[in-house]
């Protein structure tokens, strides 16, 4: 077999992992975020000022936010169920140290802080969990698209061939979900009246970079004979095309129907698509081609996975639009967000119950088809991950109240309630969004140039695969390559952020 055939075989015919393992793995990113925030608060407690060195800030962010995730999906994957326990214990130890070393002159009774915590007012114009969710989906995607070509990346985490729940399968759906959270339909204020198809026109002009990137990827992959998994999207289709057409189709539907009924559109699209799969020959065509022997004759036959899965991804996108609209409802206090957490938890439970019914009565989860079970699975786990990020932010807000004056980038700012006559405490001064703190933040850096980060990761993945025999690499060499690759991607984003450069040409 040629090197291309070997690499294609290496990522083919896989069945994914268990829902439990993926759920456990979702807790790692929020715990890393919590650990980093607690370390920054501890640094402030010791030195009386935020971490100001840009070099140290980048190293801390990379070592705490990125490296543990890279290790957990490679050499530490055999102990993945113990990783959350280890990280949680480390966070608890840091919190205990912060609590015990608070300065005596600023110390407020712990019970008083607990009592006042639910009434604490937060910056209502910024939901950090949305930013963190989108950035971490990008980071995990960047790690996985290269790590999957190394033997240290468990085959059960890679994309499943037809049915199954791989980590990378969830990543594709989560990328769609994260994009919809900040789409024009969500960001447009309800009180602002605009022409009915204004968002559609905006999307039409904003997707041309994605179309261009899709064409560029197609031409580059074919020209260098790069290995590709044909049953993923087809012969000519790729994820850039999927994202572009889903955004356009969603804007068209939301121009014709009320935005606040997006969940009904999502359910309708997903259920109708599943019914057509089950009651017609569409499923057989999708899995086996028009000839029944995996034929690839003609554009539709050659790209049937990419074209037909658009319906499932569209349903996920519309569901996320509904979530985004709900999240932007004014919740200016900790109590409001604790209530939101309870709603998210119930929604996750309901979606998982529906997933169980769907898998039993219709079809197992299939990213290849993007069926109803896949839509339910992705939406449930995205809500679960988002809820964990919100819980992390609230924990950091509580810790900041213990250490007055401390700050954590990409975390809620504590502000005074409007028209309050209460004398502001040091930690309740309205300081604006956390991006204004002196030291830079890797999350903000990636967030500012997300599409560039994703594109750079794809280009670097191709370069590494061309230069390195990945499938025969030893563990030490693989970890070295993966860390250098991720550090280079993060460093470029960090440099651009430090110079306040946003690479956007559309």
């Amino acid at each position: 077999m040629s090197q291309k055939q070997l690499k294609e075989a290496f990522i083919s015919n896989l069945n994914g992992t268990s829902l439990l393992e993926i759920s456990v793995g979702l807790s790692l990113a929020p715990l890393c975020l919590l650990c980093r925030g607690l370390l920054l608060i501890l640094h402030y407690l010791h030195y009386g000022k935020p971490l100001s060195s840009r070099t140290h800030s980048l190293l801390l962010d990379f070592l705490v936010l990125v490296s543990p995730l890279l290790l957990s999906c490679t050499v530490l994957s055999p102990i993945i169920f113990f990783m959350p326990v280890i990280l949680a214990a480390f966070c608890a130890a840091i919190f205990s140290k912060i609590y015990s070393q608070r300065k005596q002159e600023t110390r407020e009774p712990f019970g008083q802080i607990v009592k006042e915590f639910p009434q604490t007012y937060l910056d209502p114009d910024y939901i950090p969990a949305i930013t963190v969710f989108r950035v971490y989906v990008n980071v995990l995607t960047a790690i996985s698209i290269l790590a999957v070509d190394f033997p240290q990346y468990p085959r059960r985490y890679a994309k499943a061939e037809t049915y199954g729940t791989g980590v990378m399968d969830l990543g594709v759906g989560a990328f769609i979900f994260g994009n919809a959270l900040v789409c024009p339909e969500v960001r447009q204020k309800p009180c602002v009246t605009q022409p009915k198809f204004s968002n559609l026109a905006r999307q039409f002009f904003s997707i041309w970079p994605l179309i261009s990137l899709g064409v560029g990827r197609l031409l580059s992959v074919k020209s260098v004979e790069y290995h590709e998994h044909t049953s993923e999207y087809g012969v000519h289709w790729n994820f850039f095309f999927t994202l572009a057409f889903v955004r356009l189709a969603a804007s068209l539907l939301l121009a014709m129907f009320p935005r606040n009924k997006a969940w009904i559109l999502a359910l309708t699209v997903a259920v109708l698509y599943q019914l057509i799969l089950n009651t017609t020959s569409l499923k057989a065509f999708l899995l086996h081609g028009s000839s029944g022997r995996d034929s690839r004759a003609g554009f539709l036959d050659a790209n049937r996975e990419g074209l037909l899965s658009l319906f499932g991804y569209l349903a996920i996108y519309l569901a996320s639009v509904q979530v985004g609209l709900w999240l932007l409802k004014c919740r200016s206090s900790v109590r409001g967000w604790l209530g939101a957490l309870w709603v998210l938890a119930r929604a996750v439970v309901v979606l998982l119950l529906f997933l169980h019914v769907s898998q039993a009565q219709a079809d197992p989860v299939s990213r290849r088809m993007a069926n109803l079970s896949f839509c339910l699975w992705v939406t449930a786990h995205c809500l679960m991950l988002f809820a964990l990020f919100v819980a992390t932010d609230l924990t950091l807000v509580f810790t900041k109240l213990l250490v007055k004056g401390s700050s954590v980038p990409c975390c809620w700012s504590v502000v005074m309630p409007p028209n309050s006559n209460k004398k502001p405490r040091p930690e309740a001064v309205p300081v604006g969004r956390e991006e204004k703190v002196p030291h830079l933040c890797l999350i903000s850096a990636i967030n500012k140039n997300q599409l560039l980060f994703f594109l750079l990761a794809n280009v670097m993945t191709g370069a590494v695969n061309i230069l390195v025999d990945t499938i025969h690499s030893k563990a030490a060499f693989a970890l070295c390559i993966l860390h250098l690759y991720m550090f280079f991607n993060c460093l470029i984003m960090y440099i651009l952020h430090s110079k306040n450069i946003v690479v956007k040409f559309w």
Side-chain angles (χ1 to χ4, degrees):
M1 296 175 71
S2 66
Q3 189 73 4
K4 178 176 182 289
Q5 291 172 324
L6 281 173
K7 290 190 174 183
E8 287 175 352
F10 194 57
I11 58 174
S12 300
N13 303 313
L14 305 173
N15 299 313
T17 185
S18 66
L19 293 177
L20 177 61
E21 185 169 13
I22 291 180
S23 300
V24 170
L26 286 180
S27 66
L28 297 180
L31 285 170
C32 289
L33 186 70
L34 178 61
C35 178
R36 175 261 208 159
L38 293 174
L39 286 172
L40 289 173
I41 295 173
L42 184 62
H43 179 277
Y44 179 87
L45 185 63
H46 275 289
Y47 298 100
K49 60 180 181 179
L51 182 63
S52 56
S53 169
R54 291 184 174 183
T55 302
H56 293 163
S57 178
L58 174 60
L59 290 175
L60 175 67
D61 282 357
F62 183 80
L63 291 175
V64 179
L65 298 179
V66 178
S67 190
L69 300 179
L70 196 160
L71 293 170
S72 67
C73 66
T74 51
V75 293
L76 295 182
S77 58
I79 59 167
I80 188 68
F81 287 95
F82 296 101
M83 289 294 293
V85 178
I86 296 170
L87 286 172
F90 187 59
C91 290
I94 301 172
F95 181 85
S96 177
K97 194 170 184 64
I98 290 172
Y99 176 75
S100 63
Q101 293 188 4
R102 288 188 300 158
K103 292 182 179 178
Q104 189 65 40
E105 60 271 19
T106 61
R107 183 172 295 184
E108 189 172 341
F110 184 79
Q112 182 68 20
I113 294 177
V114 172
K115 184 178 178 181
E116 294 181 357
F117 179 60
Q119 284 77 41
T120 302
Y121 276 77
L122 306 171
D123 180 1
D125 299 323
Y126 178 54
I127 304 175
I130 293 179
T131 299
V132 174
F133 177 92
R134 298 180 71 243
V135 167
Y136 255 118
V137 167
N138 233 324
V139 168
L140 290 167
T141 300
I143 292 173
S144 295
I145 59 176
L146 179 58
V148 70
D149 294 316
F150 288 90
Q152 289 73 30
Y153 189 88
R155 296 300 89 194
R156 65 185 186 277
Y157 289 177
K159 289 178 180 175
E161 184 70 26
T162 300
Y163 296 107
T165 53
V167 173
M168 294 185 71
D169 296 315
L170 177 61
V172 176
F175 205 99
I176 296 285
F177 190 94
N179 266 266
L181 285 176
V182 294
C183 70
E185 289 79 10
V186 172
R187 288 184 279 111
Q188 181 182 319
K189 294 182 179 179
C191 57
V192 178
T193 56
Q194 291 184 345
K196 196 170 185 180
F197 290 92
S198 62
N199 289 325
L200 178 62
R202 194 181 312 169
Q203 288 283 32
F204 184 80
F205 286 109
S206 68
I207 65 169
W208 74 262
L210 293 171
I211 299 293
S212 302
L213 291 173
V215 172
R217 188 186 191 282
L218 172 64
L219 295 176
S220 60
V221 165
K222 299 301 181 183
S223 62
V224 300
E225 293 190 352
Y226 190 76
H227 66 278
E228 53 184 333
H229 195 184
T230 305
S231 65
E232 186 177 348
Y233 295 107
V235 177
H236 311 103
W237 203 263
N238 58 56
F239 183 70
F240 291 110
F241 294 142
T242 293
L243 185 56
F245 281 94
V246 164
R247 284 173 57 174
L248 197 61
S251 290
L252 177 61
L253 286 174
L254 293 171
M256 297 186 293
F257 298 95
R259 288 182 299 160
N260 60 353
K261 304 297 182 184
W263 70 273
I264 297 178
L265 288 174
L267 188 61
T268 302
V269 171
V271 171
L272 282 178
Y273 176 52
Q274 184 63 55
L275 285 173
I276 293 171
L277 284 174
N278 282 8
T279 57
T280 68
S281 59
L282 185 64
K283 186 193 297 185
F285 167 71
L286 198 154
L287 296 179
H288 307 296
S290 56
S291 69
R293 294 191 296 271
D294 199 25
S295 60
R296 296 285 172 179
F299 182 79
L300 178 60
D301 207 359
N303 301 285
R304 55 185 185 271
E305 293 91 351
L307 294 169
L308 293 175
S309 63
L310 287 173
F311 294 102
Y313 290 122
L314 176 60
I316 293 171
Y317 191 98
L318 291 169
S320 181
V321 168
Q322 187 72 64
V323 173
L325 292 170
W326 177 76
L327 290 173
L328 290 181
K329 290 182 180 178
C330 186
R331 295 182 184 87
S332 54
S333 69
V334 169
R335 185 186 300 278
W337 279 103
L338 289 173
L341 270 180
W342 175 236
V343 173
L344 287 171
R346 286 186 295 173
V348 169
V349 172
V350 170
L351 286 170
L352 290 177
L353 288 175
F354 282 145
L355 172 61
H356 177 74
V357 174
S358 176
Q359 292 203 102
Q361 302 299 323
D363 260 334
V365 173
S366 173
R367 171 207 42 85
R368 186 175 179 181
M369 290 185 282
N371 57 5
L372 176 62
S373 295
F374 177 77
C375 296
L376 292 169
W377 173 57
V378 168
T379 305
H381 280 72
C382 284
L383 291 179
M384 185 188 301
L385 180 59
F386 184 84
L388 291 173
F389 280 131
V390 172
T392 298
D393 281 329
L394 293 177
T395 304
L396 290 175
V397 168
F398 180 81
T399 310
K400 288 196 295 182
L401 294 179
L402 292 177
V403 182
K404 298 178 182 179
S406 60
S407 62
V408 178
C410 290
C411 174
W412 262 307
S413 297
V414 179
V415 299
M416 289 301 299
N419 304 321
S420 174
N421 296 320
K422 189 177 178 180
K423 184 179 178 181
R425 300 185 301 178
E427 75 279 3
V429 177
V431 294
R433 297 187 184 181
E434 293 289 358
E435 285 86 349
K436 295 181 181 179
V437 297
H439 54 283
L440 294 175
C441 169
L442 183 58
I443 293 173
S444 298
I446 296 175
N447 182 58
K448 188 171 283 188
N449 284 291
Q450 288 212 47
L451 183 57
L452 179 64
F453 180 81
F454 182 61
L455 178 60
L456 180 62
N458 275 269
V459 172
M460 290 298 297
T461 296
V464 171
N465 270 282
I466 291 171
L467 297 172
V468 176
D469 180 11
T470 55
I471 61 176
H472 297 113
S473 298
K474 301 295 183 183
F477 179 75
L479 290 178
C480 182
I481 292 293
L482 288 169
H483 275 90
L484 287 173
Y485 152 81
M486 283 304 299
F487 186 78
F488 176 78
N489 293 337
C490 293
L491 178 63
I492 296 298
M493 298 302 107
Y494 202 80
I495 292 172
L496 291 175
H497 183 49
S498 67
K499 298 182 182 299
N500 199 30
I501 297 174
V502 179
V503 180
K504 190 172 183 178
F505 44 88
W506 61 94

